[in-house]
Amino acid sequence: MIFHDDFGKFDFAVVKTLLSSFANFSMGSRGKLNNGFISEIIFIDAGSQTRPVIKVMDSGQIINLGINREI
């Protein structure tokens, strides 16, 4: 939200560093998607840190959230 909704209100370098720090802690994290499936973060692209690549636990399907914007 800070990166997208409040763009320009914060120092960009600080926001980028903050996002990078979160990315290091998020690898391997699990979460529930808006479609009800449980997933695990398997890759975080430096250019799209808030939209990682995930693996759906039930099916093993790999989804790039940077491309698939509905999830």
Side-chain angles (χ1 to χ4, degrees):
M1 288 175 59
I2 289 173
F3 189 69
H4 294 286
D5 295 342
D6 294 325
F7 186 78
K9 291 184 180 178
F10 302 100
D11 183 315
F12 182 73
V14 173
V15 172
K16 188 173 178 180
T17 301
L18 179 65
L19 287 174
S20 180
S21 297
F22 284 139
N24 292 333
F25 292 113
S26 298
M27 292 295 290
S29 296
R30 292 186 179 185
K32 189 174 187 178
L33 303 173
N34 63 355
N35 61 8
F37 291 113
I38 303 297
S39 68
E40 178 181 359
I41 297 174
I42 59 171
F43 179 74
I44 300 173
D45 181 13
S48 184
Q49 294 173 338
T50 60
R51 306 291 297 172
V53 176
I54 58 165
K55 178 174 78 172
V56 178
M57 301 310 293
D58 292 340
S59 67
Q61 178 184 12
I62 305 296
I63 302 171
N64 183 338
L65 296 178
I67 295 170
N68 188 335
R69 307 295 284 181
E70 316 68 69
I71 299 176

